[in-house]
Amino acid sequence: MKKTIGIQIGPDSFVDEGIEKTLNLLQQRGAINTLYLSTFSYDRGITGRQIPGRPFPDHGAQVSDESYFHGGNYATPHPKFYAKTAMKGERFRAPDFGKLDIVAEVLPAAKKRGMKVICSIQDGFNYPADVPFVKEMAEVDLHGRQGGAMCFFQPDVREFWKAVATDLSSSYNIDGVLLFNERNGPLLNAIGVSHAQGIDSAKVTCFCEHHQRAAREHGIDFERAKEGYRKLNQYVQNSLNAIRPTDGYYVEFSRLLLEYPEIMAYNQLFDLGKHQVLKDVYTAVKAVRKNLEVGFHIEHTNSFNPLYRASRSYEELATMADFLKVVVYNNCGGERYRSFIRNITSTVFRDVPPTEVMRINNHLLNYTNEAALDELPMAGLSPDYVMRETQRAKAGVKRKAQILPGIDVNIPTGANSRKASPDDTYQATLAAFKGGADGVILSRKYSEMMLANLDAAGRAIRDAEKL
Protein backbone atom coordinates (compact mmCIF):
# COMPACT_ATOMS: atom_id res chain seq x y z
CA MET A 1 0.00 0.00 0.00
CA LYS A 2 1.28 3.47 -0.90
CA LYS A 3 2.32 5.37 2.21
CA THR A 4 0.59 8.62 3.08
CA ILE A 5 2.94 11.59 3.00
CA GLY A 6 0.90 14.45 4.36
CA ILE A 7 1.29 18.05 5.41
CA GLN A 8 -0.97 20.28 7.46
CA ILE A 9 -1.64 23.51 5.61
CA GLY A 10 -4.04 26.41 6.06
CA PRO A 11 -5.78 28.62 3.51
CA ASP A 12 -3.43 31.54 4.20
CA SER A 13 -0.53 29.74 2.51
CA PHE A 14 -2.44 29.24 -0.73
CA VAL A 15 -3.68 32.84 -0.67
CA ASP A 16 -0.19 34.20 -0.01
CA GLU A 17 1.87 31.94 -2.28
CA GLY A 18 -0.54 30.75 -4.95
CA ILE A 19 -2.09 27.32 -5.33
CA GLU A 20 -0.03 25.96 -8.22
CA LYS A 21 3.26 27.28 -6.89
CA THR A 22 2.61 25.87 -3.42
CA LEU A 23 1.55 22.44 -4.67
CA ASN A 24 4.63 22.28 -6.91
CA LEU A 25 6.88 23.07 -3.98
CA LEU A 26 5.22 20.56 -1.65
CA GLN A 27 5.48 17.72 -4.15
CA GLN A 28 9.01 18.42 -5.32
CA ARG A 29 10.65 19.27 -2.00
CA GLY A 30 8.59 17.37 0.56
CA ALA A 31 7.34 14.41 -1.51
CA ILE A 32 3.83 15.31 -0.33
CA ASN A 33 0.90 13.31 -1.70
CA THR A 34 -1.82 14.31 0.80
CA LEU A 35 -2.99 17.73 1.97
CA TYR A 36 -4.54 18.06 5.42
CA LEU A 37 -6.29 21.30 4.60
CA SER A 38 -7.38 23.37 7.59
CA THR A 39 -11.01 23.89 6.70
CA PHE A 40 -12.78 24.61 10.00
CA SER A 41 -10.70 26.13 12.77
CA TYR A 42 -10.38 29.13 15.04
CA ASP A 43 -6.93 28.02 16.22
CA ARG A 44 -3.59 29.40 15.04
CA GLY A 45 -2.08 25.97 15.60
CA ILE A 46 -3.29 24.66 12.24
CA THR A 47 -4.33 27.78 10.35
CA GLY A 48 -3.17 31.35 9.91
CA ARG A 49 0.33 32.62 9.18
CA GLN A 50 3.24 32.30 11.57
CA ILE A 51 2.24 32.93 15.19
CA PRO A 52 2.62 36.66 15.95
CA GLY A 53 5.98 37.53 17.47
CA ARG A 54 7.82 34.54 15.98
CA PRO A 55 10.37 34.72 13.14
CA PHE A 56 8.82 34.30 9.70
CA PRO A 57 9.87 31.31 7.59
CA ASP A 58 11.66 31.77 4.25
CA HIS A 59 8.46 31.75 2.19
CA GLY A 60 5.02 33.31 2.28
CA ALA A 61 3.99 36.79 3.41
CA GLN A 62 6.46 38.34 5.82
CA VAL A 63 3.80 40.09 7.85
CA SER A 64 1.48 39.01 10.65
CA ASP A 65 -2.14 38.06 10.01
CA GLU A 66 -3.32 39.91 13.13
CA SER A 67 -5.16 42.48 11.02
CA TYR A 68 -7.55 39.90 9.58
CA PHE A 69 -7.29 36.54 11.37
CA HIS A 70 -10.60 35.31 12.74
CA GLY A 71 -11.14 31.68 11.77
CA GLY A 72 -14.24 29.62 11.11
CA ASN A 73 -15.33 27.58 8.11
CA TYR A 74 -13.13 28.34 5.10
CA ALA A 75 -15.41 26.29 2.83
CA THR A 76 -18.98 27.17 1.82
CA PRO A 77 -21.57 25.98 4.36
CA HIS A 78 -24.71 24.54 2.76
CA PRO A 79 -27.76 25.34 4.94
CA LYS A 80 -29.62 22.06 4.36
CA PHE A 81 -27.02 20.15 6.36
CA TYR A 82 -27.57 22.33 9.45
CA ALA A 83 -31.35 22.05 9.64
CA LYS A 84 -31.26 19.96 12.83
CA THR A 85 -29.15 22.38 14.83
CA ALA A 86 -29.58 25.97 15.98
CA MET A 87 -25.91 26.55 15.15
CA LYS A 88 -26.48 27.39 11.50
CA GLY A 89 -23.42 26.73 9.40
CA GLU A 90 -23.46 29.95 7.41
CA ARG A 91 -22.97 31.90 10.62
CA PHE A 92 -19.60 30.17 11.06
CA ARG A 93 -18.25 31.18 7.66
CA ALA A 94 -14.68 32.49 8.10
CA PRO A 95 -14.52 36.18 7.12
CA ASP A 96 -10.74 36.19 6.67
CA PHE A 97 -10.75 36.02 2.85
CA GLY A 98 -14.22 37.23 1.97
CA LYS A 99 -16.16 34.67 -0.07
CA LEU A 100 -13.14 32.52 -0.89
CA ASP A 101 -13.93 28.80 -0.68
CA ILE A 102 -10.53 27.25 -0.11
CA VAL A 103 -11.70 23.67 -0.66
CA ALA A 104 -13.31 24.50 -4.00
CA GLU A 105 -10.16 26.33 -5.10
CA VAL A 106 -7.52 23.83 -3.99
CA LEU A 107 -9.30 20.55 -4.69
CA PRO A 108 -9.20 20.55 -8.54
CA ALA A 109 -5.53 21.55 -8.65
CA ALA A 110 -4.59 18.86 -6.10
CA LYS A 111 -6.60 16.15 -7.87
CA LYS A 112 -4.93 16.98 -11.16
CA ARG A 113 -1.62 16.16 -9.52
CA GLY A 114 -2.85 12.94 -7.93
CA MET A 115 -2.83 14.47 -4.44
CA LYS A 116 -5.45 13.61 -1.82
CA VAL A 117 -7.28 16.34 0.10
CA ILE A 118 -8.38 15.64 3.69
CA CYS A 119 -10.37 18.43 5.35
CA SER A 120 -9.25 19.22 8.90
CA ILE A 121 -11.97 20.15 11.40
CA GLN A 122 -11.04 21.47 14.82
CA ASP A 123 -13.17 21.68 17.93
CA GLY A 124 -11.34 24.09 20.16
CA PHE A 125 -11.64 26.21 23.27
CA ASN A 126 -10.67 29.64 21.99
CA TYR A 127 -13.68 30.74 20.00
CA PRO A 128 -13.86 34.50 19.29
CA ALA A 129 -16.38 36.48 21.31
CA ASP A 130 -18.44 37.28 18.23
CA VAL A 131 -19.10 33.64 17.26
CA PRO A 132 -22.86 33.10 17.59
CA PHE A 133 -24.41 30.44 19.78
CA VAL A 134 -21.15 29.41 21.45
CA LYS A 135 -22.10 31.10 24.71
CA GLU A 136 -25.41 29.26 24.73
CA MET A 137 -23.63 25.94 24.20
CA ALA A 138 -20.70 26.70 26.54
CA GLU A 139 -19.45 24.46 29.28
CA VAL A 140 -20.00 25.57 32.88
CA ASP A 141 -17.35 25.45 35.60
CA LEU A 142 -17.59 24.65 39.33
CA HIS A 143 -18.76 28.18 40.14
CA GLY A 144 -21.36 28.39 37.39
CA ARG A 145 -19.19 30.48 35.06
CA GLN A 146 -19.15 29.87 31.32
CA GLY A 147 -16.06 28.20 29.90
CA GLY A 148 -14.47 28.75 26.51
CA ALA A 149 -15.51 25.45 24.90
CA MET A 150 -18.82 23.89 23.92
CA CYS A 151 -20.30 21.05 25.97
CA PHE A 152 -20.17 17.62 24.34
CA PHE A 153 -23.51 16.70 25.87
CA GLN A 154 -25.33 19.72 24.45
CA PRO A 155 -27.49 18.13 21.71
CA ASP A 156 -26.91 20.98 19.28
CA VAL A 157 -23.16 20.59 19.61
CA ARG A 158 -23.21 16.94 18.55
CA GLU A 159 -25.53 17.77 15.67
CA PHE A 160 -23.29 20.63 14.57
CA TRP A 161 -20.12 18.55 14.25
CA LYS A 162 -22.04 15.88 12.35
CA ALA A 163 -23.38 18.61 10.07
CA VAL A 164 -19.94 20.10 9.35
CA ALA A 165 -18.50 16.66 8.51
CA THR A 166 -21.50 15.67 6.39
CA ASP A 167 -21.50 18.98 4.52
CA LEU A 168 -17.83 18.74 3.56
CA SER A 169 -18.08 15.07 2.62
CA SER A 170 -21.22 15.56 0.52
CA SER A 171 -20.48 18.89 -1.12
CA TYR A 172 -16.90 18.26 -2.28
CA ASN A 173 -15.03 15.36 -3.82
CA ILE A 174 -12.61 15.26 -0.91
CA ASP A 175 -10.83 12.15 0.35
CA GLY A 176 -11.78 12.37 3.99
CA VAL A 177 -11.86 14.28 7.27
CA LEU A 178 -9.35 14.71 10.12
CA LEU A 179 -10.91 15.78 13.43
CA PHE A 180 -8.88 17.68 16.02
CA ASN A 181 -9.98 17.81 19.65
CA GLU A 182 -7.38 18.38 22.39
CA ARG A 183 -9.67 18.86 25.36
CA ASN A 184 -8.97 17.02 28.62
CA GLY A 185 -11.40 15.86 31.26
CA PRO A 186 -11.98 17.64 34.60
CA LEU A 187 -9.70 15.43 36.72
CA LEU A 188 -6.74 15.86 34.38
CA ASN A 189 -7.31 19.60 34.09
CA ALA A 190 -7.70 20.00 37.85
CA ILE A 191 -4.29 18.56 38.72
CA GLY A 192 -2.48 20.05 35.72
CA VAL A 193 -1.42 16.96 33.84
CA SER A 194 -1.26 18.57 30.43
CA HIS A 195 1.90 20.04 28.95
CA ALA A 196 0.42 23.37 27.92
CA GLN A 197 -1.68 24.70 30.75
CA GLY A 198 -1.52 26.47 34.00
CA ILE A 199 -3.31 24.89 36.93
CA ASP A 200 -6.69 26.38 37.75
CA SER A 201 -8.77 23.67 39.35
CA ALA A 202 -11.74 25.98 39.98
CA LYS A 203 -12.35 26.29 36.25
CA VAL A 204 -12.76 22.59 35.46
CA THR A 205 -15.77 21.68 33.39
CA CYS A 206 -18.46 20.75 32.73
CA PHE A 207 -21.28 21.08 35.25
CA CYS A 208 -24.06 22.33 32.99
CA GLU A 209 -27.60 20.91 32.91
CA HIS A 210 -26.76 18.67 29.95
CA HIS A 211 -23.79 17.15 31.75
CA GLN A 212 -25.98 16.71 34.83
CA ARG A 213 -28.54 14.80 32.76
CA ALA A 214 -25.81 12.64 31.22
CA ALA A 215 -24.45 11.85 34.69
CA ARG A 216 -27.88 10.73 35.85
CA GLU A 217 -28.32 8.55 32.74
CA HIS A 218 -25.00 6.83 33.50
CA GLY A 219 -25.69 6.28 37.17
CA ILE A 220 -23.37 9.01 38.49
CA ASP A 221 -24.43 11.11 41.48
CA PHE A 222 -24.01 14.63 40.05
CA GLU A 223 -24.02 16.42 43.41
CA ARG A 224 -21.43 14.03 44.84
CA ALA A 225 -19.27 14.55 41.76
CA LYS A 226 -19.51 18.31 42.12
CA GLU A 227 -18.70 18.12 45.83
CA GLY A 228 -15.72 15.90 45.05
CA TYR A 229 -14.38 18.40 42.54
CA ARG A 230 -14.81 21.23 45.04
CA LYS A 231 -12.69 19.29 47.52
CA LEU A 232 -10.21 18.48 44.77
CA ASN A 233 -9.99 22.19 44.00
CA GLN A 234 -9.16 22.93 47.65
CA TYR A 235 -6.54 20.16 47.62
CA VAL A 236 -4.91 21.62 44.50
CA GLN A 237 -4.93 25.16 45.86
CA ASN A 238 -3.32 23.95 49.10
CA SER A 239 -0.70 22.04 47.10
CA LEU A 240 0.18 25.08 45.01
CA ASN A 241 0.65 27.03 48.23
CA ALA A 242 2.78 24.28 49.82
CA ILE A 243 0.17 23.49 52.48
CA ARG A 244 1.11 19.86 52.97
CA PRO A 245 -1.54 17.34 54.09
CA THR A 246 -0.61 15.33 57.20
CA ASP A 247 -0.18 12.14 55.17
CA GLY A 248 1.45 13.80 52.20
CA TYR A 249 0.21 15.01 48.82
CA TYR A 250 -0.09 11.66 47.05
CA VAL A 251 -1.90 9.92 49.92
CA GLU A 252 -4.35 12.79 50.26
CA PHE A 253 -5.04 12.70 46.52
CA SER A 254 -5.63 8.95 46.65
CA ARG A 255 -7.90 9.38 49.66
CA LEU A 256 -10.01 11.88 47.73
CA LEU A 257 -10.45 9.42 44.87
CA LEU A 258 -11.46 6.67 47.29
CA GLU A 259 -13.87 8.89 49.19
CA TYR A 260 -15.34 10.32 45.99
CA PRO A 261 -15.24 7.70 43.23
CA GLU A 262 -17.53 10.09 41.40
CA ILE A 263 -14.44 12.21 40.60
CA MET A 264 -13.03 9.54 38.31
CA ALA A 265 -16.46 8.52 37.03
CA TYR A 266 -17.20 12.11 36.05
CA ASN A 267 -13.87 12.37 34.25
CA GLN A 268 -14.72 9.20 32.33
CA LEU A 269 -18.11 10.70 31.49
CA PHE A 270 -16.31 13.62 29.83
CA ASP A 271 -14.28 11.15 27.75
CA LEU A 272 -17.46 9.32 26.83
CA GLY A 273 -18.96 12.55 25.50
CA LYS A 274 -15.80 13.35 23.58
CA HIS A 275 -15.64 9.89 22.02
CA GLN A 276 -19.31 10.08 21.10
CA VAL A 277 -18.51 13.11 18.94
CA LEU A 278 -15.73 11.11 17.28
CA LYS A 279 -18.17 8.27 16.59
CA ASP A 280 -20.75 10.73 15.25
CA VAL A 281 -18.27 12.20 12.79
CA TYR A 282 -17.09 8.76 11.68
CA THR A 283 -20.64 7.52 11.12
CA ALA A 284 -21.70 10.70 9.33
CA VAL A 285 -18.78 10.66 6.91
CA LYS A 286 -19.08 6.94 6.16
CA ALA A 287 -22.81 7.41 5.46
CA VAL A 288 -21.87 9.72 2.59
CA ARG A 289 -19.21 7.46 1.05
CA LYS A 290 -17.74 4.39 2.67
CA ASN A 291 -14.35 4.91 1.05
CA LEU A 292 -13.87 8.34 2.63
CA GLU A 293 -11.11 8.32 5.23
CA VAL A 294 -11.77 9.45 8.79
CA GLY A 295 -8.95 10.21 11.18
CA PHE A 296 -8.38 11.68 14.62
CA HIS A 297 -5.56 13.81 15.97
CA ILE A 298 -4.18 12.20 19.15
CA GLU A 299 -2.82 14.99 21.33
CA HIS A 300 0.71 15.14 22.72
CA THR A 301 -0.49 14.55 26.29
CA ASN A 302 -1.07 10.91 25.33
CA SER A 303 2.65 10.56 24.75
CA PHE A 304 4.07 11.43 28.17
CA ASN A 305 1.22 11.25 30.66
CA PRO A 306 0.51 7.73 32.03
CA LEU A 307 -2.85 8.74 33.52
CA TYR A 308 -4.00 10.14 30.18
CA ARG A 309 -2.67 7.08 28.35
CA ALA A 310 -4.78 4.86 30.59
CA SER A 311 -7.92 6.68 29.46
CA ARG A 312 -7.10 6.37 25.75
CA SER A 313 -7.07 2.91 24.18
CA TYR A 314 -5.58 2.84 20.71
CA GLU A 315 -7.51 -0.34 20.01
CA GLU A 316 -10.79 1.36 20.91
CA LEU A 317 -9.98 4.47 18.88
CA ALA A 318 -9.16 2.27 15.89
CA THR A 319 -12.75 1.01 15.83
CA MET A 320 -13.96 4.50 14.86
CA ALA A 321 -11.15 5.71 12.61
CA ASP A 322 -9.31 4.75 9.46
CA PHE A 323 -6.16 6.48 10.65
CA LEU A 324 -4.77 8.12 13.77
CA LYS A 325 -2.48 11.10 13.58
CA VAL A 326 -0.35 10.42 16.65
CA VAL A 327 1.59 13.45 17.90
CA VAL A 328 5.29 12.64 18.35
CA TYR A 329 6.64 16.19 18.16
CA ASN A 330 10.22 15.71 19.35
CA ASN A 331 11.79 19.18 19.32
CA CYS A 332 9.01 20.99 21.16
CA GLY A 333 8.50 17.75 23.09
CA GLY A 334 11.39 18.60 25.39
CA GLU A 335 9.86 21.74 26.82
CA ARG A 336 6.42 20.12 26.84
CA TYR A 337 7.60 17.09 28.77
CA ARG A 338 9.36 19.27 31.34
CA SER A 339 6.20 21.36 31.72
CA PHE A 340 4.19 18.21 32.44
CA ILE A 341 6.69 17.07 35.08
CA ARG A 342 6.64 20.47 36.73
CA ASN A 343 2.85 20.54 36.77
CA ILE A 344 2.44 17.11 38.31
CA THR A 345 5.14 17.79 40.92
CA SER A 346 3.24 20.91 41.95
CA THR A 347 0.25 18.80 42.97
CA VAL A 348 0.02 15.01 43.31
CA PHE A 349 3.77 14.32 43.47
CA ARG A 350 4.86 17.46 45.28
CA ASP A 351 6.68 15.35 47.90
CA VAL A 352 8.94 13.82 45.23
CA PRO A 353 11.86 15.65 43.57
CA PRO A 354 10.97 16.42 39.92
CA THR A 355 14.07 14.59 38.65
CA GLU A 356 12.92 11.43 40.45
CA VAL A 357 9.40 11.71 39.05
CA MET A 358 10.82 12.06 35.57
CA ARG A 359 13.10 9.07 36.06
CA ILE A 360 10.17 6.89 37.12
CA ASN A 361 7.98 8.30 34.35
CA ASN A 362 10.62 7.44 31.76
CA HIS A 363 10.48 3.83 32.92
CA LEU A 364 6.68 3.81 32.79
CA LEU A 365 6.63 5.30 29.29
CA ASN A 366 9.43 3.16 27.84
CA TYR A 367 11.62 6.20 27.18
CA THR A 368 15.38 5.66 27.06
CA ASN A 369 18.33 8.01 26.93
CA GLU A 370 16.34 11.23 27.02
CA ALA A 371 17.92 14.41 28.36
CA ALA A 372 17.87 15.38 32.03
CA LEU A 373 14.94 17.49 33.24
CA ASP A 374 16.66 20.89 33.12
CA GLU A 375 18.21 20.09 29.75
CA LEU A 376 15.00 18.92 28.10
CA PRO A 377 13.86 22.22 26.52
CA MET A 378 17.15 22.73 24.68
CA ALA A 379 17.71 19.04 23.94
CA GLY A 380 14.19 18.13 22.86
CA LEU A 381 13.18 14.50 22.70
CA SER A 382 15.13 12.02 20.61
CA PRO A 383 14.41 10.25 17.32
CA ASP A 384 14.31 7.08 19.43
CA TYR A 385 11.27 8.58 21.20
CA VAL A 386 9.58 9.06 17.81
CA MET A 387 10.28 5.46 16.85
CA ARG A 388 9.07 3.99 20.16
CA GLU A 389 5.85 5.99 20.19
CA THR A 390 5.17 4.94 16.61
CA GLN A 391 5.76 1.28 17.51
CA ARG A 392 3.45 1.61 20.54
CA ALA A 393 0.65 3.05 18.42
CA LYS A 394 1.11 0.43 15.71
CA ALA A 395 0.91 -2.37 18.27
CA GLY A 396 -2.05 -0.73 19.99
CA VAL A 397 -4.35 -0.48 16.96
CA LYS A 398 -3.75 -4.15 16.07
CA ARG A 399 -3.93 -3.46 12.34
CA LYS A 400 -7.40 -1.95 12.63
CA ALA A 401 -6.27 1.56 11.64
CA GLN A 402 -3.29 3.25 10.04
CA ILE A 403 -0.78 5.16 12.15
CA LEU A 404 0.44 8.46 10.72
CA PRO A 405 2.80 10.13 13.21
CA GLY A 406 2.75 13.92 13.30
CA ILE A 407 6.32 15.13 12.72
CA ASP A 408 7.58 18.35 14.32
CA VAL A 409 8.71 20.67 11.53
CA ASN A 410 9.58 24.06 13.05
CA ILE A 411 6.84 24.07 15.66
CA PRO A 412 7.48 27.26 17.67
CA THR A 413 9.27 26.84 20.99
CA GLY A 414 10.43 29.14 23.77
CA ALA A 415 13.40 31.46 23.46
CA ASN A 416 15.71 29.03 25.27
CA SER A 417 14.31 25.85 23.75
CA ARG A 418 15.44 23.74 20.81
CA LYS A 419 14.76 24.98 17.29
CA ALA A 420 14.32 22.28 14.66
CA SER A 421 17.23 21.86 12.26
CA PRO A 422 17.08 20.01 8.95
CA ASP A 423 18.94 17.11 10.55
CA ASP A 424 16.37 16.96 13.38
CA THR A 425 13.58 16.79 10.84
CA TYR A 426 15.35 14.15 8.78
CA GLN A 427 16.09 11.92 11.78
CA ALA A 428 12.60 12.21 13.27
CA THR A 429 10.89 11.47 9.95
CA LEU A 430 13.11 8.46 9.30
CA ALA A 431 12.55 7.22 12.87
CA ALA A 432 8.79 7.18 12.32
CA PHE A 433 9.20 4.86 9.35
CA LYS A 434 11.64 2.68 11.29
CA GLY A 435 8.86 2.36 13.86
CA GLY A 436 6.52 0.99 11.21
CA ALA A 437 4.52 4.12 10.35
CA ASP A 438 1.99 3.88 7.53
CA GLY A 439 2.99 7.40 6.57
CA VAL A 440 3.66 10.74 8.23
CA ILE A 441 1.96 14.10 8.58
CA LEU A 442 4.33 17.08 8.63
CA SER A 443 3.05 19.40 11.35
CA ARG A 444 1.82 21.80 12.63
CA LYS A 445 1.37 23.93 9.50
CA TYR A 446 3.30 24.80 6.35
CA SER A 447 3.18 28.53 7.13
CA GLU A 448 5.69 28.11 9.99
CA MET A 449 8.05 25.63 8.28
CA MET A 450 11.49 26.48 6.90
CA LEU A 451 12.02 25.12 3.41
CA ALA A 452 15.31 23.44 4.37
CA ASN A 453 13.37 21.39 6.93
CA LEU A 454 10.74 20.50 4.33
CA ASP A 455 13.59 19.35 2.08
CA ALA A 456 14.98 17.24 4.92
CA ALA A 457 11.62 15.56 5.48
CA GLY A 458 11.35 14.83 1.77
CA ARG A 459 14.84 13.32 1.76
CA ALA A 460 13.98 11.08 4.73
CA ILE A 461 10.76 9.97 3.06
CA ARG A 462 12.64 8.96 -0.10
CA ASP A 463 15.36 7.25 1.93
CA ALA A 464 12.70 5.36 3.93
CA GLU A 465 11.52 3.73 0.72
CA LYS A 466 14.87 1.93 0.60
CA LEU A 467 14.53 0.45 4.10
Side-chain angles (χ1 to χ4, degrees), residues 5-7 25-32 58 330-331 407-410 419-433 440 442 449-465:
I5 310 301
I7 191 169
L25 185 149
L26 296 180
Q27 282 191 307
Q28 293 172 9
R29 303 183 73 160
I32 302 300
D58 52 351
N330 62 312
N331 286 291
I407 304 299
D408 178 346
V409 185
N410 296 114
K419 305 295 182 290
S421 70
D423 186 60
D424 291 328
T425 304
Y426 176 87
Q427 296 296 341
T429 306
L430 196 61
F433 286 109
V440 292
L442 307 185
M449 298 179 186
M450 298 296 289
L451 293 181
N453 288 61
L454 183 64
D455 288 336
R459 190 168 70 254
I461 288 159
R462 295 180 179 102
D463 286 350
E465 294 175 356

Side-chain angles (χ1 to χ4, degrees), residues 277-448:
V277 172
L278 305 187
K279 291 176 183 177
D280 287 346
V281 168
Y282 180 82
T283 303
V285 172
K286 292 297 184 179
V288 176
R289 274 186 285 138
K290 288 186 177 180
N291 65 335
L292 286 171
E293 299 174 31
V294 181
F296 304 128
H297 168 95
I298 308 300
E299 52 268 56
H300 213 173
T301 307
N302 181 67
S303 174
F304 41 70
N305 178 347
L307 185 58
Y308 189 89
R309 276 192 186 187
S311 66
R312 296 293 183 276
S313 163
Y314 276 135
E315 185 173 11
E316 179 189 358
L317 289 167
T319 64
M320 48 181 140
D322 298 301
F323 69 90
L324 300 177
K325 181 220 163 181
V326 178
V327 171
V328 290
Y329 302 158
N330 62 312
N331 286 291
C332 69
E335 64 180 17
R336 291 182 176 190
Y337 188 23
R338 186 181 69 165
S339 178
F340 162 68
I341 295 295
R342 288 188 169 179
N343 277 358
I344 201 66
T345 53
S346 297
T347 55
V348 177
F349 294 114
R350 191 178 179 107
D351 282 322
V352 187
T355 54
E356 289 299 302
V357 171
M358 180 179 162
R359 185 177 64 83
I360 294 169
N361 210 55
N362 283 348
H363 285 298
L364 297 176
L365 301 173
N366 194 30
Y367 290 1
T368 61
N369 301 319
E370 300 302 334
L373 182 64
D374 290 339
E375 298 169 1
L376 270 173
M378 182 53 71
L381 295 172
S382 67
D384 181 69
Y385 152 81
V386 175
M387 183 182 72
R388 286 170 181 260
E389 282 298 284
T390 302
Q391 290 173 330
R392 181 173 73 87
K394 282 288 291 184
V397 297
K398 298 183 178 178
R399 300 185 179 181
K400 296 176 183 177
Q402 291 197 325
I403 296 299
L404 308 178
I407 304 299
D408 178 346
V409 185
N410 296 114
I411 294 177
T413 57
N416 297 317
S417 296
R418 191 178 187 88
K419 305 295 182 290
S421 70
D423 186 60
D424 291 328
T425 304
Y426 176 87
Q427 296 296 341
T429 306
L430 196 61
F433 286 109
K434 288 179 179 178
D438 299 295
V440 292
I441 301 178
L442 307 185
S443 305
R444 295 179 315 178
K445 56 182 180 177
Y446 169 70
S447 61
E448 63 190 13

Side-chain angles (χ1 to χ4, degrees), residues 124 130 161 192 287 391:
D130 64 344
W161 291 120
Q391 290 173 330

Side-chain angles (χ1 to χ4, degrees), residues 8-10 38 41 43-48 120 122 180 444-445:
Q8 293 180 186
I9 187 168
S38 183
S41 176
D43 193 325
R44 291 182 180 276
I46 64 170
T47 193
S120 295
Q122 185 173 32
F180 287 72
R444 295 179 315 178
K445 56 182 180 177

Side-chain angles (χ1 to χ4, degrees), residues 177-238:
V177 168
L178 169 59
L179 179 66
F180 287 72
N181 185 305
E182 290 198 327
R183 291 160 57 189
N184 296 326
L187 172 59
L188 300 180
N189 282 336
I191 59 176
V193 294
S194 175
H195 62 273
Q197 67 173 63
I199 303 173
D200 195 341
S201 51
K203 290 184 178 180
V204 298
T205 54
C206 173
F207 297 92
C208 74
E209 60 179 312
H210 304 288
H211 238 93
Q212 181 174 0
R213 184 185 66 249
R216 185 168 59 248
E217 291 172 353
H218 288 85
I220 300 171
D221 187 325
F222 177 78
E223 293 303 327
R224 282 276 301 173
K226 197 169 184 179
E227 182 182 353
Y229 275 96
R230 287 197 184 103
K231 292 197 174 184
L232 181 61
N233 172 47
Q234 187 59 59
Y235 161 83
V236 170
Q237 297 308 312
N238 286 344

